[in-house]
């Protein structure tokens, strides 16, 4: 055990957990130790959004987050979205609109779309583009993704 | 990345004490978005990172000063600055620039103090904040001092901050009567680091430009003010002729540098075009009331 590692406790998708964490470990690699593979490291530079997770309710790039710094915090990953047994409105909208091909970037887009709709329940196309500008889809499903976010906004609107 | 020690001071004084050592591998760490890239590529291998997150409660507030300017705590996230009602009212150019600064996740964690202290000439906020006449308050082992942001950078990734000094606040004077704009040009992809950043602020009285600040970044080794462009603007009518002559003066004056984003010659031409556009946009935006 490296001398710079330490024991941390945090809340992971609503459950208290603890882990022994090396100083240089990032949050994406920590999540892998809990068998959570939805946040993926792709660019490793905070540019692509594939590793989007929430820390204390704020969207961050897991690849730029030191794992030791989530000590005492609450971490939420894409795996939390269907814990009820049903897909979230955003997830269902992505499927219905065909908003992906390979799916590698999808968890990041879904997490960011949830954050956008939390802050702005009725975003226009420009607002969607601005908010998701830091998420890259190499299959270029952008038109379908924008439609899916609009569709999710409609589904989430109180009747 | 290699292992290092992550320490968590509970006060600013404790942080300054921890950083007051003759060892470049001991560094402050706030949002970490820039340092993590350097650590992942091995450009920077820390022995100790002094994490400033514990000081957030006292050093992240955004407030309007009695003079009508702004005081922004160094640990304010870029997102909190972007969405601050005070910032939107006093200096609307800042939230406009934020839209294309990195992305939502980076802005959620990056801090305004770290953004300046990092000394990266490609950052968007140094030209914007310096064109607004901004300054940083700095605290260190020797006490507190104020540094104008236009004088904060001494070279490529170098600042005038000395051992143990931390930026505690960013201050801006009242912007009443000033019109501002920031434009950047990315040459490789829309979300690339800028090849050129141009920030301008103008004080227009009765249709004539009384005062101006013209700043360039990214295309030069460090943030650079362009006094010859400002001299052309002084007293001129805020119209196309003065704008074109100021753009030529800027291009003649700035020492642009070659890099992977373009040659110095190319960037000089970009500068000519972007100074023209930025001045035009500032005039169209009109003065802050």
């Amino acid at each position: 055990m490296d001398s710079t590692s330490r024991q941390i406790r945090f809340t992971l998708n609503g459950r208290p957990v603890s882990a022994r964490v090396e100083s240089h470990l990032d949050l994406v690699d920590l999540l892998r130790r809990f068998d959570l593979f939805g946040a993926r490291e792709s660019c490793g530079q905070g540019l692509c959004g594939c590793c989007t997770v929430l820390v204390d309710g704020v969207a961050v790039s897991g690849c730029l987050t030191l794992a030791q710094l989530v000590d005492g915090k609450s971490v939420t990953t894409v795996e939390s979205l269907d814990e009820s047994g049903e897909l979230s409105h955003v997830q269902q909208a992505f499927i219905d609109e065909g908003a992906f091909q390979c799916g590698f970037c999808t968890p990041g887009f879904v997490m960011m779309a949830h954050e956008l709709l939390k802050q702005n329940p009725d975003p226009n196309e420009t607002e969607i583009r601005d908010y998701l500008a830091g998420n890259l889809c190499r299959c270029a499903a952008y038109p379908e993704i924008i439609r899916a976010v609009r569709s999710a906004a409609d589904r989430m609107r109180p009747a | 990345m290699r292992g290092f020690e992550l320490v968590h001071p509970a006060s600013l004084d404790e942080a300054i004490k921890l950083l007051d050592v003759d060892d470049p591998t001991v560094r402050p760490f706030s949002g970490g978005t820039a340092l993590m890239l350097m650590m992942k590529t091995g450009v920077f291998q820390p022995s100790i990172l002094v994490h400033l997150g514990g000081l957030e409660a006292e050093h992240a507030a955004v407030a309007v000063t009695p003079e009508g300017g702004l005081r922004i705590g160094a640990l304010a996230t870029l997102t909190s600055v972007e969405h601050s009602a005070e910032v939107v009212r006093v200096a609307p150019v800042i939230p406009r620039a934020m839209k294309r600064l990195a992305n939502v996740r980076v802005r959620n964690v990056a801090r305004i103090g770290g953004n300046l202290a990092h000394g990266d000439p490609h950052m968007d906020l140094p030209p914007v904040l310096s064109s607004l006449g901004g300054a940083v308050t700095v605290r260190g082992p020797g006490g507190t001092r104020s540094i104008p942001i236009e004088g904060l950078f001494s070279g490529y990734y170098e600042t005038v901050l000395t051992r143990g000094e931390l930026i505690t606040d960013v201050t801006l004077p009242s912007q009443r009567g000033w019109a501002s704009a920031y434009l950047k040009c990315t040459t490789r992809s829309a979300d690339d680091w800028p090849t050129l950043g141009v920030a301008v602020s103008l004080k227009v009285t009765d249709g004539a430009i009384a005062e101006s600040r013209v700043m360039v970044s990214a295309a030069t080794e460090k943030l650079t003010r362009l006094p010859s462009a400002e001299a052309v603007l002084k007293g001129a009518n805020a119209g196309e002729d003065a704008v074109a002559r100021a753009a030529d003066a800027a291009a003649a004056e700035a020492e642009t540098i070659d890099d992977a984003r373009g040659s110095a010659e190319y960037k000089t031409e970009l500068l000519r075009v972007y100074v023209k556009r930025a001045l035009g946009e500032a005039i169209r935006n009109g003065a802050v009331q």
Side-chain angles (χ1 to χ4, degrees):
Chain A
M1 190 69 64
D2 141 19
S3 67
T4 61
S5 72
R6 57 186 275 259
Q7 193 72 24
I8 64 165
R9 289 170 199 288
F10 62 107
T11 305
L12 181 54
N13 293 334
R15 282 176 287 274
V17 295
S18 73
R20 184 95 198 156
V21 174
E22 299 84 355
S23 59
H24 61 275
L25 193 79
D26 70 41
L27 184 51
V28 182
D29 287 334
L30 175 61
L31 292 173
R32 276 169 164 52
R33 296 187 184 171
F34 290 93
D35 289 339
L36 295 175
F37 301 100
R40 292 108 181 231
E41 178 153 334
S42 181
C43 74
Q45 300 176 49
L47 301 173
C48 74
C50 291
C51 64
T52 301
V53 295
L54 308 186
V55 175
D56 282 351
V58 175
V60 306
S61 291
C63 75
L64 294 185
T65 306
L66 287 174
Q68 283 191 1
L69 293 181
V70 303
D71 190 20
K73 303 199 172 197
S74 171
V75 177
T76 310
T77 71
V78 71
E79 286 85 354
S80 70
L81 294 178
D82 67 345
E83 274 182 341
S84 68
E86 271 184 50
L87 295 178
S88 72
H89 288 306
V90 173
Q91 289 174 310
Q92 191 59 52
F94 268 63
I95 292 170
D96 295 345
E97 297 293 338
F100 47 81
Q101 284 185 49
C102 80
F104 193 88
C105 68
T106 310
F109 269 101
V110 166
M111 290 297 279
M112 288 299 281
H114 270 274
E115 281 308 288
L116 168 61
L117 294 174
K118 214 190 297 173
Q119 293 163 21
N120 179 357
D122 188 24
N124 63 34
E125 180 167 338
T126 306
E127 289 165 336
I128 296 170
R129 284 171 177 269
D130 277 348
Y131 202 88
L132 298 181
N135 287 65
L136 302 182
C137 170
R138 286 309 186 212
C139 307
Y142 298 111
E144 292 82 1
I145 290 169
I146 290 165
R147 279 210 297 276
V149 176
R150 278 299 323 158
S151 165
D154 292 340
R155 291 165 204 230
M156 290 161 78
R157 191 166 305 130
Chain B
M1 276 195 276
R2 291 193 195 158
F4 48 84
E5 209 181 325
L6 195 56
V7 296
H8 304 269
S11 71
L12 186 59
D13 288 334
E14 190 187 341
I16 291 167
K17 200 171 280 180
L18 287 163
L19 291 164
D20 186 17
V21 289
D22 187 18
D23 182 350
T25 67
V26 179
R27 302 291 292 178
F29 188 94
S30 55
T33 51
L35 270 190
M36 282 292 279
L37 301 183
M38 290 186 154
M39 286 154 58
K40 285 185 159 199
T41 51
V43 172
F44 173 55
Q45 293 179 352
S47 61
I48 298 176
L49 289 180
V50 179
H51 180 236
L52 305 177
L55 315 181
E56 198 172 0
E58 281 171 68
H59 298 282
V62 181
V64 176
T65 61
E67 299 76 37
L70 287 171
R71 174 172 290 275
I72 303 172
L75 289 174
T77 64
L78 302 190
T79 293
S80 71
V81 174
E82 175 183 0
H83 296 291
S84 151
E86 289 79 11
V87 175
V88 170
R89 182 158 51 83
V90 174
V93 67
I94 297 175
R96 284 200 299 268
M98 289 284 190
K99 288 276 173 284
R100 279 195 65 205
L101 189 163
N103 57 51
V104 171
R105 291 177 310 279
V106 168
R107 297 199 296 272
N108 280 347
V109 291
R111 315 290 162 146
I112 195 164
N115 181 284
L116 296 171
H118 193 55
D120 182 340
H122 304 96
M123 299 277 195
D124 299 298
L125 288 178
V128 173
L129 298 173
S130 57
S131 78
L132 302 177
V136 288
T137 306
V138 171
R139 203 151 115 197
T144 301
R145 62 181 177 136
S146 174
I147 305 169
I149 293 170
E150 69 167 273
L152 179 62
F153 306 99
S154 52
Y156 196 68
Y157 286 92
E158 285 173 9
T159 68
V160 300
L161 297 175
T162 58
R163 196 171 106 175
E165 278 190 323
L166 284 170
I167 294 174
T168 60
D169 295 279
V170 174
T171 53
L172 296 178
S174 165
Q175 300 298 312
R176 222 166 283 134
W178 287 81
S180 303
Y182 174 68
L183 290 180
K184 67 172 161 181
C185 176
T186 55
T187 51
R188 300 193 299 193
S189 65
D191 61 349
D192 190 16
W193 288 96
T195 303
L196 170 82
V198 171
V200 300
S201 279
L202 302 170
K203 187 162 200 178
V204 181
T205 315
D206 300 329
I209 300 167
E211 269 183 87
S212 68
R213 292 189 207 95
V214 179
M215 308 297 308
V216 58
S217 63
T220 45
E221 189 188 50
K222 58 176 177 136
L223 175 71
T224 304
R225 189 166 177 175
L226 299 173
S228 66
E230 295 173 8
V232 168
L233 293 169
K234 195 171 176 67
N237 285 324
E240 276 178 29
D241 173 60
V243 164
R245 283 187 296 119
D248 287 340
E253 180 178 23
E255 288 177 28
T256 54
I257 54 171
D258 292 310
D259 65 15
R261 292 179 180 80
S263 67
E265 206 179 2
Y266 169 60
K267 290 181 196 173
T268 296
E269 287 314 305
L270 283 180
L271 177 63
R272 193 189 313 276
V273 172
Y274 275 77
V275 166
K276 209 179 292 180
R277 288 182 188 170
L279 289 169
E281 189 177 313
I283 293 166
R284 278 194 305 282
N285 286 341
V288 174
Q289 298 304 311

